[in-house]
Amino acid sequence: MYEITVFVSQEEFAVLEEAVFEVEDATRWNLFEDFEAKGYRVQGIYDTEQEAIAAWTELSGIANVSGDAKVREIQDSDWKDSYKEHFKPWSIGPLHWVPVWLKGEYELPDGHEAVWLDPGMAFGTGNHGTTRLCVERLIEARERIGTDKIGSLKVIDAGCGSGILAISAKRLGFGDVTGFDNDPDAVRIAIENGELNETPDLPFSVDDLLSGFSKQPYDLVLANILAVVLIEFCETIAPVVADGGTLILSGILTHEAEKVRAAFAPLRGWKDIQIHELGEWSSVTLLA
């Protein structure tokens, strides 16, 4: 088997996260922010060197990005070990993201929960600034609302991708959690991740921002989507938040945060609007 690795820019990474759903076998790719190398990495596993190069040519062509691809041969029995070099457990507050191969040996502190990740089954490890920003805001909302009340809240993950945010919300104790994405492959992967985390009752559907909010209003809305899309659909997203609810927007480059805030601010009487930064990424939280 052959491993192909490409380092890309932050802007290219954001585009690739969307484009990867358009290739034939998205589960062969992993995209993650390499905090140690302070960069962004795209990694795939293929049977032959030619397949690996052709797959990157297809993906980079869809995303209109370029990068110096490095291909190396790995033993078929050790292909997952190439992921183990990069995927280590990490946590924010009471929530831990742990590779599935550590299940049974990873010790969780009392009262903490784990989201199990299998990068060999589906890309998306949560190890990305935009995801971290969303989870930090989720934990803040949990503390602000109270753990005794969040079980009755209605939560939706718009543009759920691999489903990590919806699963994380469920693990944190939020009750009625759903998610949608406009790409069938993304939804299939989200369902697989839900099964891996023993949350098979967590419903994911194929919908877009016009059809996905069918059970509005929602007490908490997560939208980790590109800033340009958030701005385009701001008049669709803002009204679905229940009075007293929370809207968490991410997928936003720091220099775009003020534009996103300005687009949503006049749409209703928000009680508070907060911008949080993590390196080059930002989130915008609006309290209704």
Side-chain angles (χ1 to χ4, degrees):
M1 301 190 78
Y2 288 81
E3 174 194 85
I4 183 167
T5 303
V6 189
F7 281 95
V8 296
S9 69
Q10 178 187 13
E11 291 79 7
E12 290 173 331
F13 187 89
V15 177
L16 283 163
E17 283 188 304
E18 298 291 325
V20 73
F21 287 113
E22 300 182 31
V23 300
E24 183 174 351
D25 192 353
T27 61
R28 289 184 177 269
W29 290 103
N30 265 281
L31 295 87
F32 57 96
E33 186 171 356
D34 191 328
F35 289 95
E36 293 183 3
K38 296 183 179 180
Y40 299 86
R41 187 193 302 263
V42 182
Q43 189 175 43
I45 299 292
Y46 285 87
D47 294 330
T48 69
E49 182 176 5
Q50 292 75 19
E51 288 177 350
I53 294 173
W56 169 245
T57 300
E58 178 190 10
L59 178 57
S60 60
I62 293 172
N64 193 27
V65 303
S66 60
D68 183 16
K70 295 182 179 180
V71 182
R72 70 182 181 103
E73 185 175 8
I74 57 176
Q75 295 297 315
D76 182 72
S77 59
D78 296 333
W79 70 270
K80 267 198 173 182
D81 289 337
S82 67
Y83 291 115
K84 293 180 183 181
E85 295 176 11
H86 309 295
F87 298 118
K88 308 296 182 183
W90 61 280
S91 64
I92 298 176
L95 196 59
H96 299 241
W97 289 263
V98 188
V100 69
W101 52 78
L102 294 180
K103 198 170 187 178
E105 58 183 88
Y106 184 80
E107 294 187 10
L108 284 168
D110 290 342
H112 287 216
E113 294 287 343
V115 175
W116 304 105
L117 305 169
D118 184 358
M121 179 190 71
F123 64 90
T125 66
N127 192 18
H128 186 270
T130 60
T131 308
R132 290 182 178 225
L133 283 164
C134 280
V135 175
E136 288 173 356
R137 306 291 81 75
L138 264 175
I139 293 172
E140 287 177 359
R142 179 177 183 257
E143 294 174 350
R144 172 168 46 85
I145 298 167
T147 55
D148 58 329
K149 297 179 181 179
I150 60 173
S152 62
L153 299 187
K154 189 188 300 183
V155 180
I156 191 161
D157 181 6
C160 63
S162 56
I164 287 179
L165 287 177
I167 294 169
S168 297
K170 199 72 174 177
R171 281 284 186 261
L172 284 170
F174 289 92
D176 183 4
V177 182
T178 59
F180 69 84
D181 200 285
N182 63 359
D183 189 285
D185 284 333
V187 172
R188 174 179 57 80
I189 290 168
I191 292 172
E192 290 175 353
N193 280 332
E195 293 171 348
L196 176 68
N197 282 277
E198 300 178 356
T199 55
D201 59 332
L202 202 168
F204 294 102
S205 63
V206 179
D207 282 297
D208 57 28
L209 291 172
L210 295 177
S211 62
F213 299 113
S214 59
K215 296 182 180 180
Q216 59 178 287
Y218 299 90
D219 301 293
L220 194 153
V221 177
L222 296 159
N224 186 10
I225 307 173
L226 294 176
V228 64
V229 179
L230 293 173
I231 292 171
E232 179 182 356
F233 288 92
C234 62
E235 294 183 1
T236 300
I237 299 171
V240 307
V241 184
D243 290 340
T246 303
L247 172 60
I248 300 173
L249 308 173
S250 192
I252 305 165
L253 294 169
T254 296
H255 69 83
E256 300 171 322
E258 182 55 35
K259 293 181 181 178
V260 174
R261 188 207 66 78
F264 280 83
L267 297 180
R268 58 187 299 175
W270 304 104
K271 296 177 182 177
D272 191 20
I273 302 177
Q274 304 169 359
I275 294 177
H276 295 86
E277 296 182 5
L278 180 61
E280 299 170 311
W281 298 102
S282 289
S283 65
V284 179
T285 303
L286 303 99
L287 305 181

